[in-house]
Each structure stands twice: as C-alpha cells, then as structure tokens.
Amino acid sequence: MIELFLIFAYIGLFTIGGALVAIPLIEEQVITRGWITLETFIQMVAISEATPGPVGINIATYVGLVRYHIPGAILATFGFVVPSFIIVLIFARLYTKHKESKWLKIVFDVLKAGIIGLIAVTFFNISKSTLWVASTQQPDWLSLVLAMLLGGFYFTLKKHPIYMILLAAVLGILIY
Amino acid sequence: MMSQLGRLFWVFFKIGAFTFGGGIAMLPIIEREMINNKWVSPDEMMDYVVISQSSPGAIAVNISILCGYKVGRFLGALVAMLGVVLPSLITITVIGLFIANFNEIVWFQKALQGINVAVVILLLDAIIKLGARAIKDWQRVLLMGLVFSAVYFLKFSVPLIIGILIGLGTLIYGYQLLTVKKKVA
C-alpha cells in the first residue's frame, strides 16, 4: 500500500504542465509492474477524461481502486496530490514574501506571456479533436454549430460557466 | 473562520465537480467564483496560473491550493484541495465499483460530446481574458507566438519552456540592472 502511495507521489512530482504528462509516467510505472494491462489502462484514460476532475487525479483514483479497493483509491489520489501540495505551498510562501522583487516581477511577466502561448496550444489541440474530423479532413459541422451556439450563449449572456456546461450536456444528448 | 472554510470547501467542490477537459478550461469557473466571493482578483489569478503551470501536479489542484492559501493559509489550502479532489474520488469510485460498462451508457457519451465542445469555448474565454492581461506589447505577442510554435510544431516539453522563460526573464532583469548602473555612472 505504501508502494502505491509512493509511486503516485513520484508520478505527481513529475507531472508538470498538465495532467496529460502523467499518462506516459503512469504507463511506465503501473503497466510495467503488471498492475493493469495496457487495454484496461486505455479504458481508464478514456473514462478519466469523461468524468469531472483533473485527468491525472482520475487515473490515480482508478488505478488505486483496482489495486486496493477504496483505501487504494484514496491512497493513490493523495499520493498524487501531496507533491503538489508541498511544492505549491512553498511557492505560495515565496511568492507572498517576494512579491515586490524586481526579478520576480520580470520573470512573471515573461511567464505570463509565454503561458498564453501554452494555453493556445491546448486550445488548438482540443479544437482540432472536437471540431474537426481527421478521417475526412473536414469540419465536424454539427459540433461547429454547437460551438457557435454555446459561444453565443456564453459570451453574450455572461452567465456562470456552469450553465453553459449544463446546456452543452443537454444539447449533446439531443443532437448527437 | 469555520464558515469561511466551509464556504471554501463547497466552492471548490463545485469547481471540482464541473472541471471537464483540464485545468485551463476550469479557469473561467474559478475566476467567477473567486470574484463573486471577493477572494482573489483577476490579476492575482494570473499570477496563480503562472505558479500552477510551473509546479508539479494537476493545474486545477495547484490553483485550488493557492486560492485556498490566500483565503485561509495552510488550512485553507488543505480544505480547497480536498474540495477539488473529492468529486473525482467519489465519481471514479462509484463508476469503478458499480457501473461496469460505463462506455456503453449512450446518453452519457452524447452529453460528453456536448461538454467537449463547451470546453473549447471555455478555453477560448480563458485565452481572451488572460491574453488581455498578459499581452501588452508586440514583444509579448512575439514571445507568445514563439512559445506556441515551439510547443505545437517543435514539440518542446512544458517544463523546458518554463525553464527557458525563467532564464529569459533573468537575462532581461540582468540587462536592466546593467543599463541602470551605466546611466548612474
């Protein structure tokens, strides 16, 4: 059980820049140990992406569940977040202490601009997989129309994003 | 204090329950909640995004820790993180234990398809909001473009990019230091 915790702590520690990075790491640690098969893993990833919550956390919970039932799910999940918790708290302390540092301000400015670029990458990748049909090299017209509908709703009415997500779920059931 | 923590937990539980498609897509929801509760300002949120992207773990979890810390220090961070993580834990456990053929629940798959489209819109919103705060001159546009190209086309890894950007920032800082000294001399 401790092994489970430590392995997910290791995975959590090296997942930087997005949960997607966790997937190869988990594969490397968990599949080579024979805990789950590649097939099962792929299924888990699909379910983890379909359920609420960060993908990395979902996968950790799932693997833990398969391994040691409910205690395992809890252990793996907490293993995954403990490195985050410790390191982010340290950064939070440093940040509040050195907020006025010239160096920090400049570095943050640079990082902010760069991160927009990173978010743009995620945007393009997700747009491509959601709104474009790779096999026919054509837009997925139905999804595109839905996107425009949701976008119109969201950007004009400016309601809490949760409403748009609910609307998207309902419309999804109706139109697909 | 207790009611503040309770509110913090509930807000992040909501956030965790509606996080689809990754931490960035969650930003509009988090911002909305942080502003409504008067906990974190948009500018601070931008800094939190920077720290979260540069730290290990899921972005969603990291941001929750930072917001929680601001509201209630160590305990706040813990409570917020628990809030964000709990919906995942519960959902996956229920699905894993009781629902055998999750993939075959048709209406859920369809709802999910719709939600994936919503994620695209949320990401667009995040880019617009954050972009307006971060991109203020042509140099930053160039930087954004370079980072985008490096990751999208050249497949640079994110930690590498973050390291390079920190190095760049440090260089700029050093350069500014030197030019000021020159003027004074």
Side-chain angles (χ1 to χ4, degrees):
Chain A
M1 291 251 251
I2 298 192
E3 202 195 359
L4 182 68
F5 182 85
L6 288 176
I7 287 180
F8 275 99
Y10 166 80
I11 294 172
L13 184 61
F14 286 96
T15 302
I16 304 185
L20 292 175
V21 181
I23 295 179
L25 278 171
I26 297 178
E27 237 190 282
E28 166 203 308
Q29 287 294 319
V30 172
I31 295 185
T32 49
R33 278 188 169 70
W35 285 0
I36 52 176
T37 64
L38 187 59
E39 220 177 64
T40 316
F41 181 66
I42 294 178
Q43 225 179 35
M44 281 183 182
V45 173
I47 294 184
S48 298
E49 290 181 347
T51 43
V55 179
I57 307 264
N58 289 342
I59 297 181
T61 309
Y62 218 136
V63 174
L65 186 71
V66 163
R67 214 40 207 149
Y68 285 116
H69 227 252
I70 295 181
I74 298 177
L75 262 181
T77 305
F78 281 102
F80 188 75
V81 300
V82 158
S84 284
F85 191 69
I86 298 174
I87 294 181
V88 170
L89 272 186
I90 294 176
F91 281 166
R93 269 301 271 154
L94 290 173
Y95 170 74
T96 34
K97 262 178 103 175
H98 299 279
K99 244 206 261 215
E100 300 308 312
S101 147
K102 197 105 212 312
W103 172 79
L104 197 64
K105 281 193 176 147
I106 294 179
V107 166
F108 260 61
D109 267 355
V110 170
L111 281 171
K112 282 179 207 178
I115 280 177
I116 307 293
L118 290 178
I119 299 179
V121 171
T122 308
F123 175 71
F124 268 80
N125 283 332
I126 296 199
S127 297
K128 208 165 70 165
S129 67
T130 310
L131 303 175
W132 188 262
V133 184
S135 47
T136 56
Q137 286 300 305
Q138 277 200 341
D140 178 347
W141 298 109
L142 196 54
S143 298
L144 208 51
V145 166
L146 181 60
M148 290 194 275
L149 253 164
L150 292 173
F153 172 82
Y154 185 61
F155 289 114
T156 50
L157 294 181
K158 300 200 196 290
K159 287 190 169 289
H160 198 301
I162 288 184
Y163 291 114
M164 183 199 40
I165 295 180
L166 290 170
L167 180 63
V170 168
L171 288 178
I173 297 178
L174 293 175
I175 68 178
Y176 283 117
Chain B
M1 175 63 160
M2 277 315 279
S3 68
Q4 189 72 306
L5 287 181
R7 181 134 189 86
L8 194 60
F9 178 80
W10 171 238
V11 166
F12 278 96
F13 187 85
K14 259 199 303 188
I15 291 172
F18 282 89
T19 297
F20 287 92
I24 306 288
M26 195 179 90
L27 281 176
I29 300 180
I30 294 190
E31 260 203 42
R32 191 60 173 247
E33 290 290 339
M34 294 302 108
I35 292 175
N36 283 354
N37 285 288
K38 300 200 183 11
W39 283 336
V40 178
S41 73
D43 281 328
E44 270 177 314
M45 186 58 76
M46 190 74 222
D47 285 346
Y48 289 177
V49 172
V50 167
I51 299 178
S52 301
Q53 275 269 23
S54 318
S55 311
I59 297 177
V61 171
N62 294 345
I63 295 185
S64 71
I65 296 173
L66 287 166
C67 292
Y69 183 75
K70 170 141 199 256
V71 175
R73 309 226 50 174
F74 181 84
L75 216 49
L78 191 61
V79 162
M81 186 188 76
L82 286 176
V84 140
V85 164
L86 226 51
S88 279
L89 201 56
I90 297 173
T91 314
I92 296 283
T93 303
V94 165
I95 289 178
L97 292 180
F98 301 119
I99 304 180
N101 291 313
F102 188 66
N103 292 325
E104 287 155 35
I105 302 179
V106 181
W107 66 261
F108 189 83
Q109 295 303 324
K110 294 186 180 185
L112 202 62
Q113 264 188 287
I115 292 179
N116 285 338
V117 176
V119 167
V120 173
I121 302 296
L122 290 172
L123 286 173
L124 185 60
D125 185 33
I127 291 180
I128 295 174
K129 282 204 179 100
L130 299 180
R133 277 170 233 161
I135 311 288
K136 303 198 172 128
D137 48 37
W138 69 266
Q139 292 103 323
R140 283 176 237 231
V141 175
L142 182 64
L143 188 58
M144 172 184 75
L146 285 172
V147 168
F148 178 82
S149 309
V151 177
Y152 194 72
F153 299 116
L154 302 176
K155 315 280 182 209
F156 273 42
S157 77
V158 172
L160 180 60
I161 294 284
I162 305 245
I164 294 177
L165 290 175
I166 294 180
L168 180 63
T170 309
L171 280 174
I172 296 177
Y173 170 72
Y175 173 76
Q176 284 195 2
L177 260 184
L178 289 171
T179 45
V180 166
K181 282 210 169 108
K182 256 182 146 177
K183 283 191 190 137
V184 169

